[in-house]
Amino acid sequence: MQLLPSASLKSLVKHYLFLEAKGNYLHHLRLFPDGNPGIVLCEEGKLFINNHPTYQHDLPASFLYGKVEKFEDLICHGSLKLTIIVLQPYVTYRFLDNSLDKTILDLTDILGNTASGLLSTMKATAGIYEKIEVLEPFLMKSFFDILYAIPPVVPATISHVIKKRGLLSVDEMVKFSGYEKRQLERIFNHTTGMTPKRFANLIKLHFFLSDIRKTSTKTKLSQVAYGAGYYDQSHLIREFKKITGLTPSSYFKTRNKLAVNFLQL
């Protein structure tokens, strides 16, 4: 289930995801980038990142993730219950060095015992709306001061790109911002870990994904692609496969979409 934050948290949180995978067997999950960092709270089960053919790396019970360049395969043995706080693109820049490849940090390494306390409280809280009532004061206390350090041009440009569905050039973003091109790229990359062009491309792709989810199976993918601003189908397929590890038609046929960018394969 996907739910929006309260009005006071919208500058920090894009949305919340509450996901479950049941059954005493191996669950294979795929996460791919959407331009947003997030916090994952594993309330039941244990996640492993499966990024090598011969070994698996276990993930902390609560962690912060940042710049995800391409798809990541996660696995879980047995039932799984996750709460994911999908953050605005600029929220984690203080904690994750955007110039490095390290994209995952144990939440307890950042916030200490308060992170452990949060996970324990979430496990003991049954209802989804009650969980949000636990999360929001925690997020406000832990992250709200970050907003004072963010140059206003960054959230303003992000909102503009989303409003335009990613269908605008870097020059159009520069004109909107009032900054010089190199200056905007430097500020944007420092706070989000992405160039403005990269962010716009991800937004464009995710509007395409959203359109697919709403489309009848009888509708041709080429029609959806054209409507999302893709005029070169071969370019779309290459870009899509690079980010998701799947072709558009394979994604279209995947039945168990936990979220737009989170699949159970």
Side-chain angles (χ1 to χ4, degrees), residues 17-263:
L17 291 173
F18 299 91
L19 306 176
E20 289 190 53
K22 297 186 179 294
N24 190 25
Y25 53 88
L26 182 70
H27 298 285
H28 181 186
L29 311 172
R30 176 163 292 177
L31 173 71
F32 51 87
D34 63 354
N36 297 84
I39 295 171
V40 177
L41 305 173
C42 193
E43 298 177 38
E44 183 181 338
K46 189 170 182 61
L47 278 174
F48 297 83
I49 190 164
N50 192 31
N51 56 4
H52 191 278
T54 59
Y55 68 85
Q56 301 161 5
H57 172 63
D58 62 314
L59 291 168
S62 60
F63 62 88
L64 178 74
Y65 69 87
K67 182 173 59 176
V68 180
E69 292 290 352
K70 61 180 184 63
F71 67 90
E72 295 283 2
D73 284 336
L74 309 175
I75 58 172
C76 173
H77 301 276
S79 296
L80 181 71
K81 183 184 290 185
L82 300 177
T83 295
I84 304 175
I85 304 116
V86 180
L87 300 166
Q88 296 293 354
Y90 43 78
V91 171
T92 62
Y93 88 100
R94 272 195 189 175
F95 307 106
L96 293 160
D97 187 340
N98 288 327
S99 66
L100 301 176
D101 290 334
K102 189 172 183 181
T103 59
I104 294 175
L105 286 178
D106 191 322
L107 200 60
T108 58
D109 289 342
I110 302 169
L111 302 175
N113 291 334
T114 58
S116 301
L118 173 67
L119 183 60
S120 297
T121 304
M122 291 291 285
K123 287 180 178 180
T125 304
I128 288 176
Y129 292 99
E130 289 76 15
K131 288 179 186 289
I132 291 176
E133 289 179 4
V134 171
L135 286 172
E136 297 212 327
F138 172 86
L139 295 167
M140 183 76 75
K141 182 178 180 180
S142 301
F143 296 100
F144 204 78
D145 67 308
I146 288 174
L147 298 179
Y148 297 105
I150 300 295
V153 67
V154 175
T157 303
I158 285 169
S159 295
H160 185 62
V161 171
I162 293 171
K163 182 179 178 181
K164 296 291 186 178
R165 294 173 55 103
L167 299 176
L168 71 175
S169 67
V170 174
D171 287 341
E172 288 172 315
M173 283 184 265
V174 169
K175 183 178 180 180
F176 169 83
S177 72
Y179 281 61
E180 293 182 356
K181 183 177 179 179
R182 290 183 65 181
Q183 188 181 20
L184 177 65
E185 288 180 339
R186 178 180 58 80
I187 294 171
F188 203 94
N189 192 54
H190 175 67
T191 54
T192 69
M194 296 172 285
T195 64
K197 182 178 180 180
R198 167 71 171 169
F199 180 72
N201 285 340
L202 285 175
I203 294 301
K204 180 180 176 180
L205 179 69
H206 276 267
F207 270 106
F208 171 61
L209 293 176
S210 296
D211 291 345
I212 285 178
R213 286 166 66 96
K214 301 170 189 174
T215 300
S216 164
T217 53
K218 296 179 181 179
T219 304
K220 291 183 179 180
L221 281 172
S222 57
Q223 290 178 261
V224 184
Y226 187 81
Y230 289 100
Y231 307 112
D232 183 341
Q233 194 164 345
S234 61
H235 173 73
L236 164 64
I237 293 171
R238 287 195 304 271
E239 182 73 8
F240 195 97
K241 194 167 184 179
K242 180 181 176 182
I243 293 173
T244 70
L246 300 167
T247 63
S249 58
S250 296
Y251 179 90
F252 191 54
K253 293 173 184 176
T254 302
R255 294 186 178 182
N256 200 358
K257 297 178 180 69
L258 304 176
V260 173
N261 64 321
F262 200 46
L263 313 174

